[in-house]
Amino acid sequence: MSAVKEKEETKIIWSKKEKDTLKEIYGTEILVENGSKKEITSTDMPTDASIVTYELDGKVHQDLTRGARVKLFDMYYDKFKEGLKLIEYGYGNIKPNLWGYQNAQGPKKKKRK
């Protein structure tokens, strides 16, 4: 029951259209939107991820994002203005070029007899 309650409390802040255009406009990507402390501090994320803390409607929210810090600042300032509180390094342990990488399953080689 607490999982249902937690999902109800999670507020969608970025629309799908906004998320789709972030890469083109700012060169950034939101990995976790309005996440819990456990989701934000996960080590199963890339090392170049940043935790962005901001205030909206009197509540403090945190996102886990990727991108240059200057671009992250621009993106969040454009949306929240003075609500932007902090941009800090994330806790990820995965190299950025290997994050999201899936080993391609090529055709099996035939054994020579």
Side-chain angles (χ1 to χ4, degrees), residues 5-83:
K5 204 176 209 183
E6 186 176 312
K7 287 191 178 211
E8 289 175 6
E9 291 177 11
T10 303
K11 183 179 177 183
I12 296 174
I13 297 168
W14 296 91
S15 70
K16 180 159 176 42
K17 185 179 178 184
E18 286 176 319
K19 282 185 180 180
D20 292 342
T21 59
L22 290 178
K23 192 80 167 172
E24 297 168 11
I25 297 171
Y26 299 103
T28 61
E29 176 184 8
I30 297 177
L31 303 175
V32 177
E33 176 187 356
N34 193 17
S36 67
K37 193 71 170 170
K38 184 177 179 182
E39 292 172 322
I40 298 296
T41 58
S42 172
T43 57
D44 294 334
M45 296 291 175
T47 56
D48 64 346
S50 297
I51 299 171
V52 180
T53 306
Y54 55 95
E55 188 174 337
L56 181 66
D57 299 330
K59 292 186 178 181
V60 176
H61 303 278
Q62 289 185 318
D63 291 348
L64 187 65
T65 58
R66 292 180 75 188
R69 283 186 161 224
V70 172
K71 296 293 186 178
L72 289 175
F73 175 82
D74 291 344
M75 176 177 83
Y76 279 89
Y77 189 82
D78 289 349
K79 180 149 177 101
F80 301 111
K81 305 292 183 231
E82 283 77 30

Side-chain angles (χ1 to χ4, degrees), residues 85-101:
K85 299 296 180 195
L86 180 67
I87 299 175
E88 59 186 334
Y89 292 106
Y91 297 95
N93 288 333
I94 300 173
K95 291 180 182 179
N97 60 340
L98 296 178
W99 186 76
Y101 177 76

